[in-house]
Amino acid sequence: MSVQEYLDKHMLSRKLEDAVNAAVRAKTSDPVLFISNHMRKSVPSVITKLKARQILDSRGIPTVEVDLYTNKGMFRASAPSGASLGMYEAIELRDADKGTYLGNGVSRAVKNINEKISEALIGMDPTLQSQIDQAMIDLDKTEKKGELGANAILAVSMAACKAGAAEKEVPLYKHIADLSGKTNLLLPVPAFTLISGGKHAGNNLAVQEIMILPVGAKRFEEALQMGSETYHHLKAVITEKYGAHGCSVGEDGGLAPNISSFKEALDLVQEAIGRTGYNEKIKIAIDAAATEFCIGTKYDLDFKTPNRSGQNFKSGENMVEMYRELCTGYPIVSIEDPFDKEDWEHTKYFSGLGICQVVGDDLLMSNPKRIERAIQENACNALLLKVNQIGTVTEAIEVVKMAKDANWGVVVSQRSGETEDTFIADLSVGMATGQIKAGAPCRGERLAKYNQLIRIEEELGEQAVYVGQDWRRC
């Protein structure tokens, strides 16, 4: 084939002429670089390669990372993992080989990406997120993604989303907004973990997290400052009362003094807030994670205490009254999982009191069927979205729409096993959820999300809107 025949076959003469004309119009000082970039942009991007590997999450437990390649570059994502795995959420695929990583290896999930998923997705347009996600769902063929592994599918789904944004030459949060039909980009109120308990810490506190919400900030940058300052004041308070050994941290970076009562924890946080001077600008949230201390129909608030007396069992009615008193005595505006995941009646009753936002985590597990039931029964009024519980970006967008259509709040959430991936920060802005829970203002994998939100706010400039006091009305 002659040079001219080659040029004609691929219509290169016309494409080169267009590129040269564009360079002239742009009056570029580097025409070769300009023409090269122009030619690259003229080629529709497709997925050309997938390469997955096993990495470690923030707990030192294996998880899945994937590099997805297009002709625009390489796009990397990693799947988070939780300490508690529910029967209604998508299934992580682990190796179960006790001789390697105590059975927690993910080499099977990695192999599924490198072989099965890769074969199915190569050649697909990365901007077609729903088609990519559906292709993986169809390939898996199980209801909860147990064949390929939700950890494998999610990592690929997030990487594809990043590639789609690059193809459109827009920020990731803008691409997510386009996928979900959103027109308003909002910086969320962060729920900073200050005190850790439950399964996340080695103290005797039954509840999993005490958090603060800087709703009175004017910008996200100011909210992050409030969170950091309060966290460090809390360190000082705990050191004064319990010594420096009380300042060890839990899995999500929250401080973990050896306390056992709700009120003791709340008093510490209140004192720290008081020292900052922010007072009315900061509200408190609780993640009770009550499923962890529910025994039958009773709730054991001493379940972590050695040689416990057994005198601190509470009925569902007792728990309602306790929460009512706490919300009266402290500026608590949100309680996550106040009851067991199957205790629909008490959750529904407490939610109906209208005392605070009632967030469903274990109750819902980001499962569309559970969310639909909760909407029909008015069982709670907010969704805690954990993307790995549902498994794809498309499905995450769909359940957020379900929640928003029901006038619920939405909290985009981290997991106890996190990575440096900042995807959920962009997701919270693009979906305009109004709330994000990414842990304490401490530890790199948590701060990665908060620091990304700082960058997004800066990038949006005058268009940046921090939800602040409107965190429930987004």
Side-chain angles (χ1 to χ4, degrees):
M1 181 183 294
S2 68
V3 172
Q4 188 60 51
E5 288 172 336
Y6 186 85
L7 291 172
D8 292 342
K9 178 181 178 181
H10 297 285
M11 295 185 290
L12 291 178
S13 297
R14 175 62 181 274
K15 291 175 182 176
L16 284 167
E17 183 180 348
D18 289 344
V20 170
N21 289 334
V24 172
R25 288 194 299 272
K27 299 179 180 179
T28 177
S29 60
D30 191 340
V32 174
L33 179 61
F34 183 94
I35 291 169
S36 173
N37 289 333
H38 184 90
M39 294 291 285
R40 286 185 68 216
K41 291 177 183 178
S42 70
V43 179
S45 189
V46 296
I47 297 171
T48 59
K49 178 183 174 183
L50 288 167
K51 173 62 179 174
R53 66 184 62 85
Q54 179 172 264
I55 63 169
L56 298 184
D57 69 19
S58 59
R59 301 166 302 171
I61 295 174
T63 191
V64 177
E65 180 178 82
V66 63
D67 296 342
L68 184 148
Y69 293 81
T70 72
N71 61 339
K72 294 290 168 58
M74 184 272 284
F75 306 92
R76 177 172 292 161
S78 50
S81 178
S84 57
L85 301 176
M87 62 186 293
Y88 302 106
E89 66 181 90
I91 298 171
E92 287 183 337
L93 186 62
R94 296 199 179 268
D95 300 339
D97 175 7
K98 295 298 183 182
T100 304
Y101 284 115
L102 308 179
N104 291 315
V106 292
S107 62
R108 291 165 61 202
V110 166
K111 184 178 180 181
N112 284 339
I113 293 174
N114 290 336
E115 296 178 3
K116 297 177 181 178
I117 294 176
S118 178
E119 183 179 350
L121 298 191
I122 284 177
M124 293 190 72
D125 181 344
T127 64
L128 303 178
Q129 186 72 40
S130 62
Q131 292 184 24
I132 290 169
D133 290 341
Q134 191 60 51
M136 291 190 286
I137 291 169
D138 292 343
L139 186 64
D140 182 273
K141 297 185 178 68
T142 67
E143 183 180 357
K144 297 194 288 185
K145 303 176 177 67
E147 180 68 27
L148 298 175
N151 42 355
I153 291 173
L154 177 63
V156 174
S157 181
M158 293 193 301
C161 195
K162 294 177 182 181
E167 171 63 14
K168 291 163 56 177
E169 298 185 334
V170 298
L172 178 57
Y173 57 84
K174 178 63 169 63
H175 178 48
I176 292 171
D178 292 343
L179 292 173
S180 60
K182 288 283 183 181
T183 56
N184 57 329
L185 301 171
L186 299 176
L187 275 298
V189 166
F192 294 113
T193 303
L194 259 61
I195 292 182
S196 293
K199 276 195 170 183
H200 288 182
N203 54 16
N204 293 328
L205 184 64
V207 296
Q208 193 156 275
E209 294 172 82
I210 306 293
M211 298 166 282
I212 58 166
L213 280 67
V215 298
K218 300 300 182 185
R219 294 172 52 81
F220 184 85
E221 183 179 21
E222 183 185 0
L224 185 58
Q225 178 184 336
M226 288 182 178
S228 175
E229 290 177 1
T230 308
Y231 184 84
H232 287 284
H233 276 294
L234 180 60
K235 266 189 176 180
V237 172
I238 291 171
T239 300
E240 291 166 15
K241 292 181 181 291
Y242 306 100
H245 64 275
C247 292
S248 61
V249 300
E251 289 186 341
D252 48 9
L255 298 164
N258 195 22
I259 55 179
S260 58
S261 78
F262 278 63
K263 288 188 176 182
E264 195 174 1
L266 289 166
D267 285 340
L268 291 172
V269 171
Q270 274 282 75
E271 185 170 345
I273 293 172
R275 292 189 184 188
T276 66
Y278 294 126
N279 297 316
E280 298 303 316
K281 293 184 177 182
I282 292 178
K283 302 300 180 183
I284 295 176
I286 295 173
D287 176 7
T291 296
E292 301 299 336
F293 53 87
C294 181
I295 302 174
T297 59
K298 300 286 186 179
Y299 295 88
D300 181 9
L301 298 182
D302 284 338
F303 85 106
K304 295 174 66 179
T305 306
N307 305 314
R308 58 186 183 272
S309 65
Q311 300 300 308
N312 207 7
F313 280 87
K314 291 185 180 293
S315 66
E317 291 76 15
N318 296 150
M319 293 291 286
V320 169
E321 190 55 36
M322 181 189 72
Y323 291 133
R324 193 200 302 262
E325 290 176 4
L326 291 174
C327 289
T328 300
Y330 302 90
I332 296 170
V333 295
S334 180
I335 300 180
E336 181 183 328
D337 280 345
F339 302 94
D340 178 68
K341 66 178 182 295
E342 302 300 347
D343 193 348
W344 290 82
E345 289 308 311
H346 286 109
T347 307
K348 177 179 177 179
Y349 176 75
F350 181 64
S351 182
L353 295 176
I355 295 172
C356 65
Q357 174 178 259
V358 179
V359 184
D361 176 15
D362 290 337
L363 181 78
L364 305 175
M365 296 184 190
S366 303
N367 183 305
K369 293 179 181 177
R370 303 276 289 187
I371 295 168
E372 184 177 7
R373 176 182 172 184
I375 291 171
Q376 291 175 349
E377 298 186 16
N378 296 313
C380 57
N381 52 37
L383 163 69
L384 192 84
L385 176 67
K386 293 175 175 175
V387 288
N388 76 311
Q389 286 187 330
I390 191 161
T392 66
V393 173
T394 300
E395 290 167 296
I397 289 171
E398 289 171 354
V399 296
V400 169
K401 286 181 178 178
M402 286 178 65
K404 289 292 188 180
D405 288 345
N407 296 315
W408 280 16
V410 176
V411 187
V412 173
S413 177
Q414 60 165 12
R415 298 309 309 264
S416 58
E418 266 298 337
T419 73
E420 303 92 338
D421 199 311
T422 61
F423 186 86
I424 64 170
D426 287 80
L427 182 68
S428 69
V429 175
M431 290 293 296
T433 61
Q435 302 174 66
I436 188 171
K437 174 183 173 181
C442 166
R443 297 184 49 149
E445 75 280 356
R446 317 293 158 180
L447 290 171
K449 284 72 167 170
Y450 296 133
N451 290 339
Q452 175 66 359
L453 288 165
I454 288 287
R455 298 182 196 105
I456 292 172
E457 184 171 63
E458 181 182 85
E459 187 173 283
L460 287 172
E462 293 182 357
Q463 303 301 314
V465 177
Y466 173 67
V467 296
Q469 301 285 0
D470 292 326
W471 61 282
R472 282 283 291 137
R473 296 187 291 276
C474 298

